[in-house]
């Protein structure tokens, strides 16, 4: 009987992508990967360490697998992967003895041998940073795995980080910045497109620091985007997450010239006060960021901007927080993520004696989030009355409805008759509600909005 494996992913999109690659690895090792945890022979928790509660959730989740048995009646093998695995290593097995193996993000290509060791009761822990590129050794995503994802896909092109922001564990859990070779990325993108994918989101902790190479020499993210844009059948390209200091002129040019590159940019600033940015080791000021936003908008006037914010970083005063609100007002975000500062063991800021109280963090977060959601509602409402090219992604939750995405990443709900999954259709937006837009195909004589039209493939 084929053994069954269940993978549960927490955290970022890179973890989602890693889970797909691990699924390919497990399938190659003879497992059927299932969405149903019940009766799984192998359970793999793909963890996130970016904020405190994420790690705690993993420990409570591990309790659920205490007496679990696989379909074969044998005891379920439980593995922990991801950034908690990397950060805590053997500690996980000490704290949760039910765990059979621990694997860090740079060792996924060794998954089959770790599972073998675990089934012999060895409790292996592999958190090494190998010299070789793990992607060269991981199984390619199978057509079935790609098809299960639908018409959009993630593709990791860069991993790790050399920036060492004072609050962040990523440089420790994911290691130094490494870029995948251009040809490997292009090959994987072609395979995705051959399997029906129409939109690819390039992933990296600092994706715009991408530095690959091809026969012609060094290739940055803009060059990679241009190579990918030449793939017939690929309609849309996105990338995330970017660091302000790695936003090159070449990339802005690509946003101006390359129709397949969507007008949506996730560009975290974290805070609006220069003294906090300095303490965070961000190496840019608020004015640098605002100048960059101006340049981005000059290249692509309809760019939808998104960001990340941390409130209550050690030493943040009321005035510092007001500076964050002022920066948000000046930029006008289409969407954004905001978090309370969470001290991460081993990071410089965690040892600061100037921690901000929970109550103050909560109050600031609530104020920031209400401003950000107001801005997001304004951005969404501004689309009402426009005709936008929408990539139809899947069936909607309601009978007779489909859901797609605008160029600006908003979910757009349309009638089933408006277009088939995988098609890009011109949708007349007639309403916005929460984060979503609602629309229909316009009358034949209606002219699509020009700016958005040029963003379509
Ligand atoms: N590389 C990206 C950048 O430079 O902005 C972000 C990567 S990080 C995985 C995603 C977001 O998590 C960060 O932008 C930050 O806002 C948030 N984050 C990271 N460490 C945090 C911490 N200790 N407490 C709260 N939020 C944190
Ligand atoms: Fe973390 Fe991003 Fe800073 Fe790197 S640049 S340390 S991933 S927040």
């Amino acid at each position: 009987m084929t053994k069954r494996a269940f993978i549960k992913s927490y955290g970022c999109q890179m973890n989602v992508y890693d889970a797909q690659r691990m699924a390919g690895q497990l399938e190659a090792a003879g497992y059927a990967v299932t969405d149903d945890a019940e009766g799984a022979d192998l359970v793999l928790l793909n963890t996130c360490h970016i904020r405190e509660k994420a790690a705690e959730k993993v420990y409570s989740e591990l309790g659920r697998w205490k007496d679990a048995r696989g379909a074969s009646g044998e005891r379920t093998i439980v593995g922990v992967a991801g950034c908690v695995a990397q950060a805590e290593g053997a500690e996980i097995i000490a704290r949760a003895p039910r765990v059979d193996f621990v694997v860090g993000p740079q060792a996924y290509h060794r998954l089959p041998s770790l599972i073998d060791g675990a089934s012999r009761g060895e409790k292996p822990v592999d958190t090494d940073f190998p010299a070789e590129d793990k992607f060269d050794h991981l199984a390619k995503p199978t057509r079935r795995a790609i098809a299960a994802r639908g018409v959009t896909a993630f593709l990791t092109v860069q991993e790790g980080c050399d920036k060492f922001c004072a609050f962040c564990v990523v440089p420790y859990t994911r290691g130094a910045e490494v870029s995948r070779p251009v040809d490997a990325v292009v090959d994987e993108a072609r395979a995705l497109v051959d399997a029906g994918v129409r939109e690819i989101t390039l992933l990296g902790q600092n994706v715009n620091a991408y530095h690959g190479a091809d026969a012609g020499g060094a290739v940055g993210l803009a060059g990679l985007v241009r190579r990918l844009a030449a793939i017939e059948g690929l309609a849309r390209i996105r990338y995330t997450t970017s660091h302000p200091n790695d936003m090159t002129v070449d990339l802005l040019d690509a946003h101006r010239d390359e129709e397949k590159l969507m007008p949506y940019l996730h560009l975290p600033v974290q805070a609006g006060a220069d003294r906090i940015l300095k303490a965070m080791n961000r190496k840019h000021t608020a004015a640098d960021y605002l100048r960059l936003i101006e340049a981005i908008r000059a290249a692509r006037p309809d760019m939808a901007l998104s960001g990340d914010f941390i409130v209550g970083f050690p030493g943040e005063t009321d005035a510092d927080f007001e500076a964050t609100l002022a920066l948000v007002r000046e930029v006008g975000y289409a969407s954004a993520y905001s978090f309370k500062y969470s001290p991460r063991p081993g990071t410089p800021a965690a040892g600061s004696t100037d921690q901000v109280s929970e109550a103050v963090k909560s109050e600031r977060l609530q104020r920031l989030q209400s401003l950000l959601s107001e801005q997001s509602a304004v951005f969404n409402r501004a689309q009402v009355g426009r005709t936008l090219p929408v990539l139809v992604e899947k069936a909607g939750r309601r009978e007779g409805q489909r859901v797609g995405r605008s160029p600006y990443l908003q979910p757009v709900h349309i009638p089933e008759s408006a277009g088939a999954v995988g098609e890009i259709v011109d949708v007349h937006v007639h309403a916005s509600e929460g984060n979503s837009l609602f629309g229909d195909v316009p009358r034949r004589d209606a002219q699509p909005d020009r700016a958005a039209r040029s963003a379509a493939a």
Side-chain angles (χ1 to χ4, degrees), residues 168-308:
C168 186
V169 285
V170 167
Y172 312 95
T173 57
R174 292 274 172 170
E177 222 167 83
V178 183
S179 294
R180 294 179 66 191
V182 175
D183 289 342
V185 173
V186 172
D187 283 354
E188 190 169 328
R190 280 216 183 91
L192 290 168
V193 172
D194 287 349
V197 166
R198 303 226 59 211
E199 173 181 301
I200 292 179
T201 302
L202 307 176
L203 297 182
Q205 260 96 25
N206 277 303
V207 71
N208 56 345
Y210 176 84
H211 54 281
D214 65 8
V219 176
L221 185 64
L224 183 68
V225 164
R226 290 193 186 98
R227 283 281 306 269
L228 295 171
I231 298 176
E232 210 178 311
L234 179 60
R236 291 179 164 190
I237 302 169
R238 302 180 186 275
Y239 61 89
T240 196
T241 294
S242 297
H243 192 288
N245 292 359
D246 292 315
M247 223 46 224
T248 61
V249 172
D250 199 17
L251 195 48
L252 297 192
D253 288 349
H255 272 291
R256 191 189 50 223
D257 305 332
E258 186 44 71
E259 289 197 353
K260 292 186 181 182
L261 188 55
M262 291 294 101
Y264 175 94
L265 182 62
H266 184 67
L267 193 65
V269 63
Q270 313 295 356
D274 287 345
R275 58 179 290 272
I276 295 298
L277 289 170
K278 190 158 192 275
M280 284 177 163
N281 193 30
R282 289 292 291 183
K283 297 199 170 77
H284 59 74
T285 62
D288 293 336
Y289 182 81
L290 291 171
R291 264 193 302 275
L292 180 58
I293 297 294
E294 211 177 299
I296 291 164
R297 286 189 164 141
R300 183 75 210 213
D302 68 330
M303 184 73 88
L305 287 158
S306 168
D308 290 344

Side-chain angles (χ1 to χ4, degrees), residues 292-336:
L292 180 58
I293 297 294
E294 211 177 299
I296 291 164
R297 286 189 164 141
R300 183 75 210 213
D302 68 330
M303 184 73 88
L305 287 158
S306 168
D308 290 344
F309 295 89
I310 295 178
V311 299
F313 184 79
E316 186 187 70
T317 62
D318 285 344
D320 295 330
F321 175 63
E322 290 300 330
T324 299
L325 295 178
L327 180 139
V328 169
R329 283 191 202 101
E330 182 132 6
V331 172
Y333 287 92
S335 71

Side-chain angles (χ1 to χ4, degrees), residues 86 103-110 125-131:
Q86 187 66 40
V103 57
Q106 302 307 324
Y108 292 157
H109 52 298
R110 292 195 286 264
V125 174
D126 189 345
T127 52
D128 286 350
F129 286 105

Side-chain angles (χ1 to χ4, degrees), residues 10 21 46 62 98 120 146 157 184 188 232 241 245 266 279 291 301 322 325 331 337 341 353 360 391 412 448:
Y10 301 82
R21 297 298 300 258
N46 188 20
L62 283 169
R98 177 61 183 87
R120 292 192 298 270
I146 299 169
V157 301
E188 190 169 328
E232 210 178 311
T241 294
N245 292 359
H266 184 67
R291 264 193 302 275
E322 290 300 330
L325 295 178
V331 172
Y337 303 88
Y341 169 68
T353 51
V360 169
L391 170 60
V412 186

